[in-house]
PDB file of all heavy atoms in Angstrom:
ATOM      1  N   LYS A 144      39.599  35.481  84.631  1.00 62.00           N
ATOM      2  CA  LYS A 144      39.634  35.447  83.180  1.00 62.00           C
ATOM      3  C   LYS A 144      38.794  36.596  82.631  1.00 62.00           C
ATOM      4  O   LYS A 144      37.674  36.824  83.075  1.00 62.00           O
ATOM      5  CB  LYS A 144      39.096  34.108  82.666  1.00 62.00           C
ATOM      6  CG  LYS A 144      39.918  32.917  83.103  1.00 62.00           C
ATOM      7  CD  LYS A 144      39.271  31.633  82.651  1.00 62.00           C
ATOM      8  CE  LYS A 144      40.015  30.421  83.190  1.00 62.00           C
ATOM      9  NZ  LYS A 144      39.374  29.159  82.797  1.00 62.00           N
ATOM     10  N   LEU A 145      39.345  37.298  81.669  1.00 64.00           N
ATOM     11  CA  LEU A 145      38.640  38.426  81.094  1.00 64.00           C
ATOM     12  C   LEU A 145      37.623  37.960  80.064  1.00 64.00           C
ATOM     13  O   LEU A 145      37.742  36.873  79.490  1.00 64.00           O
ATOM     14  CB  LEU A 145      39.645  39.377  80.444  1.00 64.00           C
ATOM     15  CG  LEU A 145      40.709  39.967  81.382  1.00 64.00           C
ATOM     16  CD1 LEU A 145      41.670  40.833  80.596  1.00 64.00           C
ATOM     17  CD2 LEU A 145      40.065  40.769  82.501  1.00 64.00           C
ATOM     18  N   ASP A 146      36.619  38.784  79.814  1.00 67.00           N
ATOM     19  CA  ASP A 146      35.620  38.452  78.814  1.00 67.00           C
ATOM     20  C   ASP A 146      35.907  39.162  77.497  1.00 67.00           C
ATOM     21  O   ASP A 146      35.048  39.267  76.635  1.00 67.00           O
ATOM     22  CB  ASP A 146      34.214  38.810  79.326  1.00 67.00           C
ATOM     23  CG  ASP A 146      34.093  40.291  79.652  1.00 67.00           C
ATOM     24  OD1 ASP A 146      35.092  41.017  79.525  1.00 67.00           O
ATOM     25  OD2 ASP A 146      32.988  40.711  80.043  1.00 67.00           O
ATOM     26  N   HIS A 147      37.133  39.668  77.356  1.00 73.00           N
ATOM     27  CA  HIS A 147      37.513  40.325  76.111  1.00 73.00           C
ATOM     28  C   HIS A 147      39.030  40.239  75.959  1.00 73.00           C
ATOM     29  O   HIS A 147      39.748  39.975  76.925  1.00 73.00           O
ATOM     30  CB  HIS A 147      37.077  41.795  76.115  1.00 73.00           C
ATOM     31  CG  HIS A 147      37.703  42.586  77.220  1.00 73.00           C
ATOM     32  ND1 HIS A 147      37.243  42.535  78.530  1.00 73.00           N
ATOM     33  CD2 HIS A 147      38.776  43.437  77.237  1.00 73.00           C
ATOM     34  CE1 HIS A 147      37.981  43.316  79.285  1.00 73.00           C
ATOM     35  NE2 HIS A 147      38.916  43.873  78.533  1.00 73.00           N
ATOM     36  N   LEU A 148      39.514  40.451  74.745  1.00 79.00           N
ATOM     37  CA  LEU A 148      40.943  40.428  74.509  1.00 79.00           C
ATOM     38  C   LEU A 148      41.568  41.747  74.938  1.00 79.00           C
ATOM     39  O   LEU A 148      40.961  42.805  74.822  1.00 79.00           O
ATOM     40  CB  LEU A 148      41.232  40.207  73.019  1.00 79.00           C
ATOM     41  CG  LEU A 148      40.774  38.879  72.427  1.00 79.00           C
ATOM     42  CD1 LEU A 148      41.156  38.813  70.958  1.00 79.00           C
ATOM     43  CD2 LEU A 148      41.349  37.696  73.173  1.00 79.00           C
ATOM     44  N   VAL A 149      42.786  41.668  75.435  1.00 80.00           N
ATOM     45  CA  VAL A 149      43.551  42.861  75.769  1.00 80.00           C
ATOM     46  C   VAL A 149      44.653  42.994  74.721  1.00 80.00           C
ATOM     47  O   VAL A 149      45.568  42.174  74.665  1.00 80.00           O
ATOM     48  CB  VAL A 149      44.150  42.766  77.183  1.00 80.00           C
ATOM     49  CG1 VAL A 149      45.027  43.980  77.469  1.00 80.00           C
ATOM     50  CG2 VAL A 149      43.048  42.647  78.224  1.00 80.00           C
ATOM     51  N   LEU A 150      44.546  44.008  73.881  1.00 86.00           N
ATOM     52  CA  LEU A 150      45.494  44.164  72.789  1.00 86.00           C
ATOM     53  C   LEU A 150      46.681  45.006  73.217  1.00 86.00           C
ATOM     54  O   LEU A 150      46.545  45.969  73.967  1.00 86.00           O
ATOM     55  CB  LEU A 150      44.806  44.807  71.584  1.00 86.00           C
ATOM     56  CG  LEU A 150      43.593  44.049  71.029  1.00 86.00           C
ATOM     57  CD1 LEU A 150      43.035  44.764  69.808  1.00 86.00           C
ATOM     58  CD2 LEU A 150      43.949  42.611  70.681  1.00 86.00           C
ATOM     59  N   PRO A 432      51.795  34.261  70.443  1.00 72.00           N
ATOM     60  CA  PRO A 432      52.617  34.513  71.624  1.00 72.00           C
ATOM     61  C   PRO A 432      51.772  34.677  72.874  1.00 72.00           C
ATOM     62  O   PRO A 432      50.630  35.102  72.813  1.00 72.00           O
ATOM     63  CB  PRO A 432      53.344  35.822  71.287  1.00 72.00           C
ATOM     64  CG  PRO A 432      52.440  36.503  70.318  1.00 72.00           C
ATOM     65  CD  PRO A 432      51.794  35.406  69.517  1.00 72.00           C
ATOM     66  N   GLU A 433      52.367  34.325  74.014  1.00 62.00           N
ATOM     67  CA  GLU A 433      51.746  34.580  75.317  1.00 62.00           C
ATOM     68  C   GLU A 433      52.574  35.595  76.092  1.00 62.00           C
ATOM     69  O   GLU A 433      52.596  35.613  77.296  1.00 62.00           O
ATOM     70  CB  GLU A 433      51.640  33.277  76.113  1.00 62.00           C
ATOM     71  CG  GLU A 433      50.446  32.464  75.737  1.00 62.00           C
ATOM     72  CD  GLU A 433      50.161  31.381  76.763  1.00 62.00           C
ATOM     73  OE1 GLU A 433      51.100  30.705  77.187  1.00 62.00           O
ATOM     74  OE2 GLU A 433      48.992  31.214  77.131  1.00 62.00           O
ATOM     75  N   SER A 453      46.118  27.699  76.219  1.00 77.00           N
ATOM     76  CA  SER A 453      45.186  28.690  76.746  1.00 77.00           C
ATOM     77  C   SER A 453      44.690  29.672  75.691  1.00 77.00           C
ATOM     78  O   SER A 453      44.226  30.752  76.014  1.00 77.00           O
ATOM     79  CB  SER A 453      45.872  29.467  77.873  1.00 77.00           C
ATOM     80  OG  SER A 453      46.974  30.197  77.356  1.00 77.00           O
ATOM     81  N   ARG A 456      39.943  30.576  73.307  1.00 87.00           N
ATOM     82  CA  ARG A 456      39.013  31.691  73.134  1.00 87.00           C
ATOM     83  C   ARG A 456      39.464  32.596  71.988  1.00 87.00           C
ATOM     84  O   ARG A 456      38.647  33.107  71.223  1.00 87.00           O
ATOM     85  CB  ARG A 456      38.909  32.508  74.427  1.00 87.00           C
ATOM     86  CG  ARG A 456      37.929  33.666  74.321  1.00 87.00           C
ATOM     87  CD  ARG A 456      38.042  34.663  75.456  1.00 87.00           C
ATOM     88  NE  ARG A 456      37.070  35.711  75.294  1.00 87.00           N
ATOM     89  CZ  ARG A 456      35.911  35.777  75.940  1.00 87.00           C
ATOM     90  NH1 ARG A 456      35.591  34.853  76.819  1.00 87.00           N
ATOM     91  NH2 ARG A 456      35.072  36.765  75.707  1.00 87.00           N
ATOM     92  N   LYS A 480      48.481  40.865  68.214  1.00 89.00           N
ATOM     93  CA  LYS A 480      48.409  41.899  69.236  1.00 89.00           C
ATOM     94  C   LYS A 480      47.682  41.431  70.502  1.00 89.00           C
ATOM     95  O   LYS A 480      47.523  42.207  71.443  1.00 89.00           O
ATOM     96  CB  LYS A 480      47.693  43.140  68.672  1.00 89.00           C
ATOM     97  CG  LYS A 480      48.501  43.899  67.623  1.00 89.00           C
ATOM     98  CD  LYS A 480      47.656  44.930  66.894  1.00 89.00           C
ATOM     99  CE  LYS A 480      47.262  46.064  67.808  1.00 89.00           C
ATOM    100  NZ  LYS A 480      48.409  46.907  68.188  1.00 89.00           N
ATOM    101  N   SER A 481      47.226  40.187  70.513  1.00 84.00           N
ATOM    102  CA  SER A 481      46.412  39.719  71.641  1.00 84.00           C
ATOM    103  C   SER A 481      47.195  39.673  72.940  1.00 84.00           C
ATOM    104  O   SER A 481      46.637  39.766  74.020  1.00 84.00           O
ATOM    105  CB  SER A 481      45.829  38.339  71.341  1.00 84.00           C
ATOM    106  OG  SER A 481      46.871  37.372  71.253  1.00 84.00           O
ATOM    107  N   GLY A 482      48.514  39.489  72.863  1.00 66.00           N
ATOM    108  CA  GLY A 482      49.337  39.525  74.071  1.00 66.00           C
ATOM    109  C   GLY A 482      48.987  38.415  75.046  1.00 66.00           C
ATOM    110  O   GLY A 482      48.435  37.380  74.687  1.00 66.00           O
ATOM    111  N   ARG A 483      49.285  38.637  76.319  1.00 58.00           N
ATOM    112  CA  ARG A 483      49.046  37.628  77.342  1.00 58.00           C
ATOM    113  C   ARG A 483      47.726  37.925  78.048  1.00 58.00           C
ATOM    114  O   ARG A 483      47.682  38.582  79.075  1.00 58.00           O
ATOM    115  CB  ARG A 483      50.191  37.598  78.348  1.00 58.00           C
ATOM    116  CG  ARG A 483      50.110  36.395  79.269  1.00 58.00           C
ATOM    117  CD  ARG A 483      51.320  36.368  80.205  1.00 58.00           C
ATOM    118  NE  ARG A 483      51.257  35.209  81.061  1.00 58.00           N
ATOM    119  CZ  ARG A 483      51.721  34.016  80.739  1.00 58.00           C
ATOM    120  NH1 ARG A 483      52.257  33.825  79.565  1.00 58.00           N
ATOM    121  NH2 ARG A 483      51.634  33.003  81.578  1.00 58.00           N
ATOM    122  N   THR A 484      46.654  37.451  77.480  1.00 56.00           N
ATOM    123  CA  THR A 484      45.315  37.679  78.004  1.00 56.00           C
ATOM    124  C   THR A 484      44.783  36.391  78.613  1.00 56.00           C
ATOM    125  O   THR A 484      45.001  35.317  78.078  1.00 56.00           O
ATOM    126  CB  THR A 484      44.360  38.144  76.877  1.00 56.00           C
ATOM    127  OG1 THR A 484      44.935  39.295  76.242  1.00 56.00           O
ATOM    128  CG2 THR A 484      42.997  38.492  77.407  1.00 56.00           C
ATOM    129  N   LYS A 485      44.060  36.507  79.728  1.00 53.00           N
ATOM    130  CA  LYS A 485      43.440  35.314  80.335  1.00 53.00           C
ATOM    131  C   LYS A 485      42.166  34.976  79.572  1.00 53.00           C
ATOM    132  O   LYS A 485      41.062  35.039  80.065  1.00 53.00           O
ATOM    133  CB  LYS A 485      43.136  35.574  81.798  1.00 53.00           C
ATOM    134  CG  LYS A 485      44.380  35.790  82.652  1.00 53.00           C
ATOM    135  CD  LYS A 485      45.258  34.546  82.699  1.00 53.00           C
ATOM    136  CE  LYS A 485      46.470  34.752  83.581  1.00 53.00           C
ATOM    137  NZ  LYS A 485      47.359  33.582  83.591  1.00 53.00           N
ATOM    138  N   TYR A 486      42.377  34.591  78.278  1.00 55.00           N
ATOM    139  CA  TYR A 486      41.217  34.318  77.443  1.00 55.00           C
ATOM    140  C   TYR A 486      40.949  32.830  77.273  1.00 55.00           C
ATOM    141  O   TYR A 486      40.207  32.415  76.400  1.00 55.00           O
ATOM    142  CB  TYR A 486      41.399  34.943  76.056  1.00 55.00           C
ATOM    143  CG  TYR A 486      42.756  34.760  75.416  1.00 55.00           C
ATOM    144  CD1 TYR A 486      43.289  33.504  75.164  1.00 55.00           C
ATOM    145  CD2 TYR A 486      43.516  35.874  75.081  1.00 55.00           C
ATOM    146  CE1 TYR A 486      44.517  33.358  74.588  1.00 55.00           C
ATOM    147  CE2 TYR A 486      44.761  35.722  74.489  1.00 55.00           C
ATOM    148  CZ  TYR A 486      45.260  34.476  74.239  1.00 55.00           C
ATOM    149  OH  TYR A 486      46.500  34.341  73.658  1.00 55.00           O
ATOM    150  N   ASP A 487      41.609  32.000  78.061  1.00 56.00           N
ATOM    151  CA  ASP A 487      41.428  30.559  77.904  1.00 56.00           C
ATOM    152  C   ASP A 487      40.048  30.125  78.425  1.00 56.00           C
ATOM    153  O   ASP A 487      39.415  30.796  79.206  1.00 56.00           O
ATOM    154  CB  ASP A 487      42.523  29.794  78.644  1.00 56.00           C
ATOM    155  CG  ASP A 487      42.559  30.130  80.127  1.00 56.00           C
ATOM    156  OD1 ASP A 487      42.677  31.326  80.432  1.00 56.00           O
ATOM    157  OD2 ASP A 487      42.445  29.214  80.948  1.00 56.00           O
TER     158      ASP A 487
END
Side-chain angles (χ1 to χ4, degrees):
K144 297 176 185 178
L145 300 177
D146 59 358
H147 61 281
L148 296 181
V149 176
L150 302 182
E433 277 195 315
S453 64
R456 181 193 181 100
K480 290 168 69 69
S481 66
R483 191 177 181 86
T484 305
K485 295 296 182 183
Y486 44 59
D487 58 305

